[in-house]
Amino acid sequence: GAVVSQHPSWVICKSGTSVKIECRSLDFQATTMFWYRQFPKQSLMLMATSNEGSKATYEQGVEKDKFLINHASLTLSTLTVTSAHPEDSSFYICSATTEGTTGELFFGEGSRLTVL
Amino acid sequence: AQSVTQLGSHVSVSEGALVLLRCNYSSSVPPYLFWYVQYPNQGLQLLLKYTSAATLVKGINGFEAEFKKSETSFHLTKPSAHMSDAAEYFCAVTSAAGNKLTFGGGTRVLVKP
């Protein structure tokens, strides 16, 4: 149980285009989803926290208009990187939690974005 | 505010040897502590967690960790390393169920034959 799936796993796009990454909880309802960014050989940096049906809470320094997060249902959250540039290239990981899991997060497989 | 420090960004062990990964945390409230493992180009998999129950926590793949409040530590150990243990390991802390995790910098484990 508690499976989180991300799609796509790999995406390459041209500079200036927008890319959408999906995060789905397959067998549970995710009351809260988190989006992380991970640079090569570094730790995870929390970008934003999203709760179903409400606006995402962004961490300091994360551009809200650049990284659009939507959590329209209890099983789906999306991250859209708008007008992507090469510096947005990174590994993006989502995680989800639900009530009663004592703080444990369930992570997606990650999505590697390369902006040319 | 919470923080996590993992001592040693890289650890090299021989197959069959003890694996010890160090994690120290800072938290103003009783913490929940986690160890995650990450294989290349993959997400994170939970190894074990401490949630204020037993201080010695056993996880998957033969790993265990001990919560020591006096030392604010949560070190991860495995008695005998296997080649498949080569990965990146992250220690994380949160203050309450469902809150966002704060991750340590990670420790990359290399297992030598």
Side-chain angles (χ1 to χ4, degrees):
Chain A
V3 178
V4 176
S5 179
Q6 271 184 252
H7 178 80
S9 300
W10 299 80
V11 56
I12 300 173
C13 70
K14 294 182 179 180
S15 185
T17 61
S18 294
V19 174
K20 179 183 287 187
I21 300 171
E22 294 186 346
C23 177
R24 295 181 182 272
S25 57
L26 299 184
D27 51 4
F28 68 102
Q29 293 185 325
T31 51
T32 305
M33 287 186 169
F34 303 88
W35 285 94
Y36 293 86
R37 183 174 182 176
Q38 186 179 32
F39 291 103
K41 300 183 179 181
Q42 294 189 29
S43 188
L44 282 73
M45 181 190 77
L46 180 65
M47 299 174 65
T49 303
S50 72
N51 294 290
E52 184 266 338
S54 60
K55 290 185 178 180
T57 301
Y58 290 81
E59 295 298 301
Q60 189 174 8
V62 178
E63 298 177 61
K64 300 178 183 180
D65 296 333
K66 160 70 77 175
F67 301 100
L68 301 179
I69 292 172
N70 182 277
H71 193 166
S73 76
L74 285 171
T75 60
L76 174 64
S77 176
T78 60
L79 167 67
T80 301
V81 183
T82 63
S83 186
H85 290 281
E87 58 265 30
D88 299 324
S89 299
S90 190
F91 194 56
Y92 294 89
I93 306 175
C94 74
S95 65
T97 189
T98 189
E99 296 178 0
T101 55
T102 60
E104 178 181 351
L105 295 185
F106 305 100
F107 285 83
E109 311 95 324
S111 299
R112 183 163 299 283
L113 170 63
T114 301
V115 184
L116 302 178
Chain B
Q2 300 169 299
S3 66
V4 178
T5 301
Q6 290 183 239
L7 296 177
S9 59
H10 292 79
V11 168
S12 181
V13 299
S14 297
E15 191 174 17
L18 172 71
V19 179
L20 170 60
L21 305 183
R22 299 179 185 276
C23 171
N24 288 88
Y25 70 91
S26 172
S27 178
S28 58
V29 297
Y32 289 177
L33 293 158
F34 305 82
W35 275 101
Y36 285 88
V37 61
Q38 183 182 33
Y39 297 99
N41 293 311
Q42 294 187 28
L44 274 66
Q45 179 182 8
L46 180 69
L47 281 176
L48 48 79
K49 61 183 178 182
Y50 166 76
T51 56
S52 74
T55 57
L56 181 61
V57 181
K58 294 186 182 299
I60 63 172
N61 301 341
F63 285 94
E64 64 180 37
E66 185 172 9
F67 171 69
K68 293 187 177 181
K69 184 178 179 180
S70 61
E71 300 177 8
T72 60
S73 69
F74 190 56
H75 301 331
L76 180 72
T77 60
K78 180 174 180 177
S80 177
H82 191 273
M83 296 300 292
S84 61
D85 295 327
E88 185 93 22
Y89 293 80
F90 293 96
C91 181
V93 63
T94 187
S95 59
N99 273 356
K100 57 187 178 184
L101 289 178
T102 298
F103 285 90
T107 299
R108 184 171 299 276
V109 172
L110 172 65
V111 182
K112 299 177 292 184

